[in-house]
Amino acid sequence: MKIAIGADHAGYRLKDVIVPYLKQQGHEVLDVGCDCADSVDYPDYAIPVCEMVVKGEAERGILICGTGIGMSIAANKTPGIRCALVHDLFSAKATREHNDTNVLAMGERVIGPGVAEEIVKVWLDTPFSRGERHQNRIRKVMELENKQALHP
């Protein structure tokens, strides 16, 4: 799978753990940065990752900041993105099964590298259930997104 990944200054260390983990698992990684502790703005990394996913240049995206909150907010402003902020295995599985998320957000200051790797594995390995109720809910969210795009 081709995965785009981005982090800000508060998440780059965890990104530096996740990138080799993804490659070890056989995934192709598109790393948009950042690679240092100098203060940067998380939207500058969330937006390119989300654009790659929407354009089909990447199948999924992973975003990391201090808490994951800022990245998830920025990601969910991008039409076509369903980003979930996840810090546990149950949520990682549920957000794929029920919400068909295409972007994962995590917080480096919230979870450690071992848990992050497990979350990434579960999130990547879990398919969307395709249950009718879940498809209906996603359709409603997409309709709301389209309505907002027509009437900002």
Side-chain angles (χ1 to χ4, degrees), residues 7-142:
D8 70 1
H9 60 281
Y12 83 94
R13 287 174 294 277
L14 185 56
K15 179 180 68 71
D16 287 349
V17 170
I18 298 301
V19 167
Y21 174 76
L22 290 168
K23 290 178 180 178
Q24 177 188 4
Q25 300 299 311
H27 300 290
E28 182 179 345
V29 179
L30 304 170
D31 185 348
V32 304
C34 100
D35 296 311
C36 68
D38 297 337
S39 183
V40 297
D41 298 330
Y42 57 81
D44 295 340
Y45 299 90
I47 293 166
V49 166
C50 292
E51 287 177 347
M52 287 179 189
V53 172
V54 169
K55 291 177 183 175
E57 296 168 5
E59 295 168 70
R60 304 248 188 104
I62 298 175
L63 299 169
I64 307 167
C65 64
T67 62
I69 296 168
M71 286 290 202
S72 65
I73 291 170
N76 281 312
K77 297 294 182 184
T78 306
I81 293 298
R82 287 181 306 282
C83 177
L85 172 56
V86 174
H87 292 132
D88 63 85
L89 298 178
F90 175 79
S91 298
K93 183 173 181 167
T95 193
R96 283 290 308 135
E97 285 182 341
H98 297 183
N99 309 113
D100 195 21
T101 53
N102 50 11
V103 176
L104 171 69
M106 298 184 290
E108 178 179 309
R109 296 175 180 163
V110 180
I111 57 173
V115 172
E117 287 177 350
E118 290 180 52
I119 287 169
V120 167
K121 179 166 180 34
V122 168
W123 185 74
L124 290 173
D125 290 349
T126 302
F128 177 49
S129 71
R130 301 204 180 281
E132 184 177 337
R133 69 179 190 211
H134 301 304
Q135 289 183 21
N136 188 47
R137 293 168 184 159
I138 292 169
R139 180 187 52 75
K140 287 181 178 184
V141 170
M142 292 173 69

